[in-house]
Amino acid sequence: KKGNVSIGGYTGSDESIVIPGMIEGHPVTTISKGAFQGLKNIVDVTMSDYITTMQGDAFRDCISLRTIHLSNGISKIITTTFNGCIGLEEINIPDAVTEIKRATFKDSPLQRLHIGKSLPTLDTKPFYNGEFDPYNGKPKSTRAIKTLTVDAANTFLKANGSALLSKDGKVLLGFWGQSKSFNVPEGVEKIADFAFE
């Protein structure tokens, strides 16, 4: 459509995939719904900044996927894009993304998270919070976000270790660390809903 290319699927066996920016002189702008769904061999994906649209279920159930380098042209991440990505450990939220819906990364045990320039707020709901063992009331997994960074140009948010704060430091939005104790930073006046859930 209008000379643009959509990726509809992948039939290769490579563990690392680079989605090209151009095919036969036309820009690759879209990853179609379910394009990589269920591919269990994929470990790492890199996409060019020509891509502006990533439709739902694009990487659903890619159980071996560990890292994905998203296009800086993407402004929206559909909630179901990464459902079932139980190995996804690293995500870089592009500068143009302004909202992340709840449960977007609920299956992904992220260890490294970078937030770009434009995301104005975030709660804990989009993220994996560990499997829970109902028999002894303890989590089965202790994975947590070990490295949390926010682009210095983001005027809304900042990181403090594994804690996410408003830029002025007055609101504690979330904490994803593994430590048994946590000191709320000086200057915090409000702890957001579900910050420690």
Side-chain angles (χ1 to χ4, degrees):
K1 187 177 182 181
K2 296 181 180 179
N4 296 335
V5 175
S6 295
I7 300 295
Y10 179 71
T11 59
S13 59
D14 291 343
E15 291 184 353
S16 294
I17 298 173
V18 177
I19 300 172
M22 304 284 285
I23 293 180
E24 296 183 5
H26 299 283
V28 176
T29 60
T30 303
I31 298 176
S32 297
K33 184 174 182 178
F36 296 91
Q37 183 174 352
L39 297 181
K40 296 177 171 53
N41 58 299
I42 300 174
V43 174
D44 177 79
V45 174
T46 300
M47 60 181 72
S48 81
D49 289 343
Y50 283 107
I51 294 173
T52 57
T53 303
M54 188 168 55
Q55 296 179 350
D57 300 330
F59 294 94
R60 188 180 191 124
D61 297 326
C62 291
I63 60 174
S64 300
L65 183 64
R66 290 187 181 178
T67 59
I68 183 163
H69 309 279
L70 298 175
S71 163
N72 283 318
I74 291 174
S75 60
K76 186 177 181 182
I77 300 174
I78 303 295
T79 302
T80 60
T81 301
F82 298 106
N83 281 180
C85 291
I86 58 175
L88 187 60
E89 297 178 347
E90 180 176 352
I91 196 81
N92 184 335
I93 306 302
D95 288 339
V97 172
T98 58
E99 182 182 12
I100 297 178
K101 299 286 189 181
R102 292 187 175 193
T104 300
F105 298 102
K106 69 180 181 66
D107 298 327
S108 304
L110 296 176
Q111 295 188 37
R112 291 171 296 281
L113 170 66
H114 176 76
I115 296 171
K117 298 176 182 178
S118 302
L119 195 67
T121 190
L122 190 64
D123 64 26
T124 62
K125 289 293 188 180
F127 299 106
Y128 171 92
N129 51 15
E131 295 180 28
F132 202 77
D133 187 337
Y135 298 104
N136 63 16
K138 296 181 179 179
K140 291 181 180 178
S141 172
T142 57
R143 291 191 186 184
I145 297 174
K146 296 175 182 176
T147 305
L148 172 64
T149 55
V150 178
D151 191 291
N154 188 309
T155 59
F156 308 102
L157 305 172
K158 69 177 181 180
N160 183 336
S162 293
L164 184 67
L165 303 166
S166 60
K167 192 73 171 186
D168 61 9
K170 293 182 178 181
V171 182
L172 174 63
L173 295 163
F175 175 73
W176 296 284
Q178 290 181 305
S179 59
K180 293 182 179 180
S181 63
F182 173 71
N183 293 324
V184 176
E186 288 290 334
V188 170
E189 298 175 359
K190 177 182 178 181
I191 296 177
D193 292 345
F194 311 112
F196 294 95
E197 185 179 23

